[in-house]
Amino acid sequence: MKKTIIATLLLGCWASAVTSPVIAAEADLMAAMPASQISASSHQAGQFSDWLPKVMLSFNALPEIQAQSARRQQAQLSVQAADKAVYNPELGMSYQKNDSEASDDTYTLDISQTIDWGDKRGVAMRMAQLENEILLSDITLERSQMLAERLQALANQAQAKKALQFQKQQFKLAKAQLDIARQRTEVGDLSNVELQLMQLEVASNAAVYALAEQASIAADGAVLGLFGEVNLPFADFLNTLTIQASKVDVSPELPALKSAYQQVLVAKVAAKQAQSDNAADPTISLSAEREGDENKVGVGVSIPLQFRNNYSEVIAVANEGITIAEQTYLAQERVLLQQQKQFTLSLPRLTQHYQDWRELVLTSGLAAAKSLAQQWKTGDINTSDYLQSQRQMSNSYLAGLALESALYENWLTWMGASGQLEYYLNSQLPQTARTTVK
């Protein structure tokens, strides 16, 4: 009877020292989780504005992004260069000295101009414009993919911090439980075997805590490698991960396909360019000659004769390039359609599993933790069953974090691969904070 009273008092102390931290920890974990419904909300733009502008500033300051600006300037200069005349006029001068006293020296001046009969300038201009558009499309796609990679790194960093904080709490609670278990063993309310189980549990929690810290350090290193700094603002945006938030129609206007579609246009222009480059452009010349007191004026026209080589093979090669570009576009379209199908099928399922997890774990997990603590306090369950139940709840929480990571990865992969991510993020920000490829 005396042992029972002592055990009851000790367990009462444990309830305030240990069970309360458990409840507090569960409450903290629940507060850290996103809203239960994963859907776009009216205040989401405000949530993005809290952290995304700083991230975008850091992103645009990266050297690889600055190199993109130089590439755009280079392409614009190429368009300007292509708009210049293909042929410059040619000026010729000659002098002929006659040794005979009966003949006078001869002076000749002539100027000639080749005519761009095959429209080389127009074709080159169109080619440069298309190449500039392709570059802009490629940069748009690159930026979305780079943003997806970096936002995924930030999401992983946040998830790793959640897991680290959770394991830290678990380790502290396990040590507190071990202290209570030692006290209960001293009064005979707990066996030595159960005490050893508690000690093993603390050792296991210490190892898991160390691994979680290592994973968090690795996540920080990934962010540092991608941004050049570690402490960037970030907030969960799971409530934006909807199919409606992204363009699901796969068309040539989609950034991921726009470049390949323009390559088809380039191939067609290249076929015209092959014809233009090998066209027989005539040259008109005007000459003036003076011999003694006699002046002579001449006009001439020269046209290349394509008898030995009419360049038909070169033109045929360029025409085959059209077929290659068209098939390449179709291949990329097929890949993107597969990615789109995977996205539209997997995201709703992951979302449903995540909602189920919230209802089953976060909603009822706190009540289950209270119930287990109470049953262990009254001796209704033994230490082994209690520890096993604790591990199950811990694994359930970590499984929820894995679901969150899977949702981020699924959404960011599609938005990055399709080239829509930067446009979508800009739509969530005020006009003054928006950044686009110009």
Side-chain angles (χ1 to χ4, degrees), residues 28-29 160-170 209 212:
D28 291 341
L29 293 175
K161 287 181 179 178
K162 285 183 184 179
L164 177 61
Q165 183 63 27
F166 177 77
Q167 296 300 347
K168 180 180 180 180
Q169 292 172 347
Q170 292 293 94
Y209 178 32

Side-chain angles (χ1 to χ4, degrees), residues 197-249:
L197 287 176
M198 296 298 294
Q199 291 173 336
L200 290 173
E201 184 69 14
V202 172
S204 176
N205 283 334
V208 174
Y209 178 32
L211 292 175
E213 190 160 21
Q214 183 179 7
S216 181
I217 293 173
D220 288 343
V223 172
L224 178 63
L226 291 171
F227 281 101
E229 54 183 315
V230 175
N231 298 319
L232 285 168
F234 178 79
D236 285 330
F237 56 98
L238 282 175
N239 54 340
T240 68
L241 309 188
T242 62
I243 294 178
Q244 289 76 16
S246 62
K247 180 183 177 68
V248 295
D249 294 333

Side-chain angles (χ1 to χ4, degrees), residues 222-290:
V223 172
L224 178 63
L226 291 171
F227 281 101
E229 54 183 315
V230 175
N231 298 319
L232 285 168
F234 178 79
D236 285 330
F237 56 98
L238 282 175
N239 54 340
T240 68
L241 309 188
T242 62
I243 294 178
Q244 289 76 16
S246 62
K247 180 183 177 68
V248 295
D249 294 333
V250 175
S251 69
E253 292 302 315
L254 199 65
L257 287 178
K258 192 172 183 178
S259 178
Y261 180 74
Q262 288 168 329
Q263 290 287 359
V264 177
L265 301 180
V266 165
K268 293 180 179 180
V269 174
K272 294 181 180 179
Q273 190 174 40
Q275 297 174 351
S276 176
D277 289 343
N278 297 291
D281 292 337
T283 300
I284 299 176
S285 62
L286 177 65
S287 62
E289 181 179 319
R290 180 178 180 83

Side-chain angles (χ1 to χ4, degrees), residues 411-426:
W411 190 79
L412 287 171
T413 298
W414 165 250
M415 294 294 284
S418 60
Q420 306 174 77
L421 183 58
E422 185 177 19
Y423 175 81
Y424 174 76
L425 293 178
N426 283 333

